[in-house]
Amino acid sequence: MLAALAVTVQTGCTPVSSASVDAVKLLVNQHRHQAPTAATVAALPYYQLAASTRDGHAVLILGNVDGAREDWYGSHHVVVFLEHGQLTGTAGMPQNLDGLHQPADNPFIRGLQHLSAPVEYTYTVDWSPGYRYGVPVHARLTPAGSAQLDILGQSHDVLRIDEELDAPAAGWHATNHYWVDPADGFVWKSVQQVAPGYPITLVQLHPRRGKPS
């Protein structure tokens, strides 16, 4: 997460071609010590996601799409997995979300823009290190009103959704935050928990948008 972006090329559905890997690395290396700007993001013709943890900041590139799952790649083999804007896994971090197992009625599939009242559900997570697998987490999603979000100088009208997390078996409680488009539920920004005490902030810089619902 701390150095220049390293592009990982995957087979299948991916916006990154092997012929352009060297060019992408060069462009990112030129801006490795700068915060992302509209110009630096526009210089890379790929979907881009800003990621921040207590260990540093990075711009990730979308390297693979498998159904609803998006695989975002960064330096030092860091990977962030998203589904419908929800963090479902990570790799290459000091702490990792090895898996998040949602129920069939996952509210993220329906779209957070449809929430008009709190919704509760339960899922299980796998964390490492420590082999903490199958930990049940009770979640409560609550609409928190309208807001404006500025990303690279562009203002977005969004809805903020707060998600309280409670895992009694792990002695853990935390809160996630999502800023979603009221039209289609697209998650522009979020603060989500990788593992206990290790949140990550994700901001869509050059987003891959789904179909409105």
Side-chain angles (χ1 to χ4, degrees):
M1 297 280 296
L2 291 174
L5 179 69
V7 178
T8 303
V9 179
Q10 296 287 300
T11 57
C13 180
T14 171
V16 181
S17 66
S18 57
S20 59
V21 169
D22 289 340
V24 172
K25 288 181 179 179
L26 177 60
L27 283 169
V28 176
N29 277 326
Q30 290 173 344
H31 304 290
R32 62 183 295 180
H33 299 300
Q34 302 174 12
T37 65
T40 58
V41 169
L44 294 173
Y46 307 113
Y47 301 121
Q48 297 164 62
L49 177 73
S52 303
T53 72
R54 67 190 184 204
D55 295 312
H57 312 276
V59 175
L60 313 183
I61 279 183
L62 181 62
N64 194 60
V65 177
D66 185 5
R69 193 185 78 179
E70 299 176 348
D71 304 352
W72 296 85
Y73 293 91
S75 62
H76 303 295
H77 308 290
V78 166
V79 190
V80 168
F81 302 100
L82 296 178
E83 295 185 31
H84 307 287
Q86 184 180 33
L87 183 70
T88 57
T90 65
M93 296 185 182
Q95 296 189 57
N96 283 294
L97 175 61
D98 291 340
L100 186 150
H101 313 285
Q102 283 282 16
D105 60 345
N106 179 5
F108 284 83
I109 296 177
R110 298 195 302 269
L112 298 184
Q113 79 276 21
H114 297 305
L115 288 180
S116 58
V119 170
E120 298 185 16
Y121 66 110
T122 300
Y123 59 88
T124 61
V125 294
D126 304 326
W127 294 313
S128 65
Y131 302 102
R132 296 164 290 174
Y133 295 150
V135 179
V137 177
H138 180 76
R140 177 183 173 91
L141 287 161
T142 302
S146 301
Q148 280 204 327
L149 185 64
D150 183 274
I151 301 177
L152 300 178
Q154 291 192 349
S155 180
H156 302 272
D157 294 322
V158 294
L159 303 173
R160 198 188 88 200
I161 307 295
D162 296 337
E163 183 181 33
E164 294 183 44
L165 308 175
D166 189 28
W172 176 63
H173 181 84
T175 304
N176 290 338
H177 304 282
Y178 305 89
W179 290 265
V180 307
D181 193 306
D184 60 4
F186 181 79
V187 180
W188 279 103
K189 178 181 178 180
S190 64
V191 179
Q192 304 187 55
Q193 309 301 311
V194 175
Y198 199 79
I200 187 170
T201 299
L202 302 171
V203 180
Q204 292 282 351
L205 302 178
H206 181 181
R208 174 181 179 269
R209 299 296 299 268
K211 295 181 179 179
S213 57

